[in-house]
Every structure is written in structure tokens, then in C-alpha cells.
Amino acid sequence: MARPSQLYLLSYNSVQALGWFVALLRLLPCLAPPSSVHSSYAVAGDLTWAILETIHAAIGLVHTSPLLAFLQWGGRTHFVLAVVRQIPEVQSSPSVFITFMAWSISEVIRYSHYALTTLKVCPPWLTYLRYTAFIPLYPIGVGPGEMWTMYQALPFVKERKLYSGFFGKFSMSYHSFLVAVLAVYPFLWMKLYLHVFKRRSKLGKTGGAKKRA
């Protein structure tokens, strides 16, 4: 009989997989006329549903670093709510479409893998896809996606003195903060990227050991 924690994780991951799949289905028509990649934000909305993953990691419900879970959630939430939502001029940028597509594809795979692994019925091909698809998808989502969008937002942030009331308390501007974020973003992202590569490597060793057994 499944434990309550397993049932909860199965439900959570299934709902997340379904949500990202719906977002992906709404994004795909943007590739064909009369729709456009410029409408991706309007059809996909605010894709920031993963705050619970930080809590899951913190309480030991899943074997994931709370810091890495927080960095991923915090980075995406900042990108969507603080930048894209607040600056209409970047919402129609192809870089937003690239970001949302990369996120949606990778998360449909990831959450489907988590849900089926909880049931112990995950097919090998999905496990392979989980630890292979991220190799191109993560860099695409970060470089021409998130970072390019934030770079395009800089002039509008500076012109409108966005969040000046909050950042003024720290004797700095949000523009300076965003420049700093862009400077450290590759390094923070690389930490997450290498973490998944490490898990991929462990998976390969485990698979090899099973074949030899």
C-alpha cells in the first residue's frame, strides 16, 4: 500500500505534468499563422507553480538540494513576475517564446518521469529522455531565452525606475540589480546544470552495473 507521502508526490507531479502539458499545447499554435511567437506570454501566462518543490526538499520529502530547488524557482519567478509581467514591451519578444517552450518541454518530461517513478513503472525511454533532453533545452532556455529577455528589459527598467521604492532603501536601483543578476546568472545556472549531469552520470553507472549483474 502506498504511503501518504507517495500519494501526495504522485498527485503533485501528475498535476504539474498536466499543467505544463497544457501550457505546451497552448504555445505550439504560436508557431503557425495566424498566431505568432509574439503572443506566447498571452497564451501561456505566468508559469510559476513550483514553490512547493523548495519546501519538499527542505523537509526531506524528496532527495533534492533545497538551495538548487530555491534557485530554480526563484529565478523563474523573478523572470516571469518581476520582468516579463511588468514590462509589456518584452512580452512579445521571441526570447519569451523560446523560454516558455524550453521550460514546457523539459517540465512535461521531468514531472512525468517523477510521477511514474513514484509508481515504479517509469519506462527506460522516459528516464533516458529525462536525463538527455535537458542537455540542449536548459542552455536554450537560459541563453537566448531568459538572459536575452532580461537584457532587452534593461532600458525600460532604467527609464521607468522600476521598483525604485524598494531598492532605494538599499541605495541601489533595480537596473543595477538586474545587471548583477545577468552577470551571475550563468554561474548559478551552471550549478544546476552540472547537478543534473551528475545525476545522469550516476544513472549511467547504475545502469551499467545492472547490465553486468
Side-chain angles (χ1 to χ4, degrees):
M1 184 176 179
R3 293 177 297 175
S5 60
Q6 290 177 311
L7 292 174
Y8 167 74
L9 287 175
L10 173 62
S11 301
Y12 173 81
N13 290 316
S14 298
V15 169
Q16 287 278 29
L18 179 61
W20 283 104
F21 182 66
V22 170
L24 180 59
L25 289 180
R26 295 179 68 183
L27 284 166
L28 287 175
C30 295
L31 290 169
S35 298
S36 166
V37 296
H38 302 296
S39 60
S40 57
Y41 177 74
V43 302
D46 297 334
L47 306 176
T48 55
W49 313 320
I51 178 60
L52 288 174
E53 290 185 27
T54 302
I55 300 173
H56 295 166
I59 64 176
L61 193 58
V62 295
H63 299 295
T64 303
S65 164
L67 175 61
L68 292 178
F70 177 77
L71 286 175
Q72 183 173 34
W73 170 80
R76 288 186 174 183
T77 301
H78 168 260
F79 173 81
V80 174
L81 301 185
V83 179
V84 180
R85 176 187 274 188
Q86 298 300 323
I87 304 174
E89 289 84 353
V90 302
Q91 292 175 11
S92 60
S93 171
S95 61
V96 173
F97 174 79
I98 291 171
T99 302
F100 286 176
M101 279 295 291
W103 288 1
S104 297
I105 295 170
S106 63
E107 297 301 53
V108 167
I109 296 170
R110 184 168 73 101
Y111 285 114
S112 298
H113 176 263
Y114 287 167
L116 294 177
T117 299
T118 302
L119 292 174
K120 297 182 179 179
V121 294
C122 186
W125 65 264
L126 183 57
T127 299
Y128 175 81
L129 199 59
R130 160 72 181 105
Y131 291 103
T132 303
F134 82 94
I135 297 174
L137 288 172
Y138 280 21
I140 290 171
V142 170
E146 297 172 56
M147 292 187 67
W148 181 240
T149 302
M150 287 188 282
Y151 178 78
Q152 293 175 89
L154 287 174
F156 303 106
V157 169
K158 189 173 185 178
E159 177 186 343
R160 295 166 193 172
K161 299 181 179 178
L162 211 60
Y163 310 121
S164 58
F166 176 79
F167 282 92
K169 299 174 184 177
F170 305 98
S171 301
M172 66 180 298
S173 66
Y174 179 61
H175 180 270
S176 299
F177 172 79
L178 197 56
V179 170
V181 167
L182 282 169
V184 302
Y185 216 71
F187 302 100
L188 296 177
W189 167 80
M190 185 59 69
K191 186 175 180 65
L192 175 63
Y193 195 53
L194 292 178
H195 172 73
V196 185
F197 258 113
K198 186 176 181 181
R199 294 184 65 178
R200 185 176 191 267
S201 176
K202 287 182 179 179
L203 188 70
K205 291 177 182 178
T206 302
K210 286 182 179 179
K211 289 177 182 178
R212 289 192 295 270

